[in-house]
Amino acid sequence: MNSETEALRLIHESLSSNGDTTVLSNCYRKWAEHYDADLQSEKYAAPELMVEKLNQYLCQSNDFADGLGSLHIVDSGCGTGLVGAALAQKGFENIDGFDLSDEMAVKAQQTGDYKNVSGGLDLASAKEQLPAQSYDIAISCGVFTPGHVEPIQVKNILPLVKKGGLVMISARVGYDNDYGFGRCMNELELQGALKILTCMSNYPYTSDENANYYLMQKQ
Ligand SMILES: C[S@@+](CC[C@H](N)C(=O)[O-])C[C@H]1O[C@@H](n2cnc3c(N)ncnc32)[C@H](O)[C@@H]1O
């Protein structure tokens, strides 16, 4: 495992990178090897919690009745693949992922839970590289967080998703307050781009902060 001070330094570096993709890439390149162990120490609950809530919603919905295995899902900012592992455990089989960091993406591919993983892919240009409107669900965990991407970048996820498809995103409570994630989603809803189905507020994220989990539908 990373030493505690090195892990804290990398967490701090990533959270204070102001969305600079070069700084973020370098940070996650160094972190890829120890990321999973470090996040386990931080009691990172978000991937499993998101997948559990997504699964509950799908089980109650008539619109997705063909079974989880048939649903095409994209994990935006997949990192080392913690979300893919949680999805695979629930029976999702058709999972793609992409990440800014090549080294994190290689780890995700190695899990065997993803069909295709693209490394070195910035969310800002994902819509140019990935097939348009081809996913039933987009999930993004731990990416809409300080220093990473701005709330408005949800607009770069929407083109990947079919009309009526789901978009599920975690936003740390502090990020939601400081960056106005919820406000931005309300504006996108007013513009007719998406509908907010539910927001689970103040649920566990890491040992030191909770998050708000947004489940939305592309309009
Ligand atoms: C805290 S990690 C979360 C990874 C994974 N989703 C998880 O929950 O473990 C944040 C991830 O976002 C990726 N990332 C940051 N900025 C990005 C961007 N602009 N486009 C794509 N991925 C990005 C990082 O490389 C990193 O893998």
Side-chain angles (χ1 to χ4, degrees), residues 69-82:
S70 68
L71 294 175
H72 205 188
I73 182 160
V74 62
D75 182 4
S76 309
C78 61
T80 55
L82 296 177

Side-chain angles (χ1 to χ4, degrees), residues 58-129:
L58 292 170
C59 290
Q60 290 161 5
S61 165
N62 293 327
D63 296 340
F64 300 92
D66 288 347
L68 302 183
S70 68
L71 294 175
H72 205 188
I73 182 160
V74 62
D75 182 4
S76 309
C78 61
T80 55
L82 296 177
V83 171
L87 287 167
Q89 269 208 328
K90 289 282 180 211
F92 289 88
E93 294 168 4
N94 220 343
I95 313 165
D96 291 342
F98 71 88
D99 200 278
L100 182 66
S101 159
D102 274 319
E103 292 78 7
M104 296 287 275
V106 165
K107 292 273 177 200
Q109 188 77 69
Q110 285 168 350
T111 64
D113 294 323
Y114 295 83
K115 288 247 160 73
N116 301 297
V117 181
S118 308
L121 183 51
D122 184 348
L123 173 55
S125 49
K127 61 180 185 289
E128 287 135 39
Q129 305 290 327

Side-chain angles (χ1 to χ4, degrees), residues 44-46 49-50 141-142 144-145 169-176 199-206 208-214:
Y44 186 44
L49 193 145
M50 276 182 99
C141 180
F144 288 82
T145 201
I169 295 179
S170 72
R172 284 173 187 250
V173 171
Y175 170 88
D176 202 339
C199 173
M200 288 166 288
S201 300
N202 212 18
Y203 274 62
Y205 184 77
T206 58
D208 63 355
E209 192 171 5
N210 284 355
N212 301 330
Y213 295 92
Y214 289 79

Side-chain angles (χ1 to χ4, degrees), residues 6-203:
E6 175 64 357
L8 286 174
R9 197 187 65 69
L10 287 166
I11 290 169
H12 180 74
E13 189 180 329
S14 76
L15 294 179
S16 57
S17 61
N18 286 326
D20 182 323
T21 49
T22 307
V23 174
L24 280 166
S25 290
N26 281 331
C27 173
Y28 282 101
R29 177 175 48 75
K30 288 180 261 173
W31 204 358
E33 198 54 42
H34 299 284
Y35 176 89
D36 288 2
D38 290 344
L39 271 282
Q40 202 177 357
S41 305
E42 294 289 311
K43 301 200 174 13
Y44 186 44
E48 287 195 2
L49 193 145
M50 276 182 99
V51 170
E52 183 62 41
K53 298 293 174 191
L54 175 65
N55 189 45
Q56 276 173 14
Y57 177 84
L58 292 170
C59 290
Q60 290 161 5
S61 165
N62 293 327
D63 296 340
F64 300 92
D66 288 347
L68 302 183
S70 68
L71 294 175
H72 205 188
I73 182 160
V74 62
D75 182 4
S76 309
C78 61
T80 55
L82 296 177
V83 171
L87 287 167
Q89 269 208 328
K90 289 282 180 211
F92 289 88
E93 294 168 4
N94 220 343
I95 313 165
D96 291 342
F98 71 88
D99 200 278
L100 182 66
S101 159
D102 274 319
E103 292 78 7
M104 296 287 275
V106 165
K107 292 273 177 200
Q109 188 77 69
Q110 285 168 350
T111 64
D113 294 323
Y114 295 83
K115 288 247 160 73
N116 301 297
V117 181
S118 308
L121 183 51
D122 184 348
L123 173 55
S125 49
K127 61 180 185 289
E128 287 135 39
Q129 305 290 327
L130 298 176
Q133 303 199 49
S134 66
Y135 291 99
D136 300 292
I137 302 167
I139 191 164
S140 190
C141 180
V143 182
F144 288 82
T145 201
H148 287 52
V149 302
E150 298 280 337
I152 196 65
Q153 287 236 35
V154 170
K155 272 184 135 175
N156 294 319
I157 292 180
L158 289 172
L160 307 176
V161 180
K162 295 175 187 168
K163 195 165 185 242
L166 301 177
V167 178
M168 192 172 196
I169 295 179
S170 72
R172 284 173 187 250
V173 171
Y175 170 88
D176 202 339
N177 294 338
D178 296 348
Y179 288 64
F181 185 84
R183 205 167 49 244
C184 182
M185 294 310 104
N186 286 333
E187 279 164 21
L188 290 175
E189 187 167 37
L190 281 175
Q191 291 165 18
L194 55 78
K195 182 177 171 201
I196 302 171
L197 298 175
T198 179
C199 173
M200 288 166 288
S201 300
N202 212 18
Y203 274 62

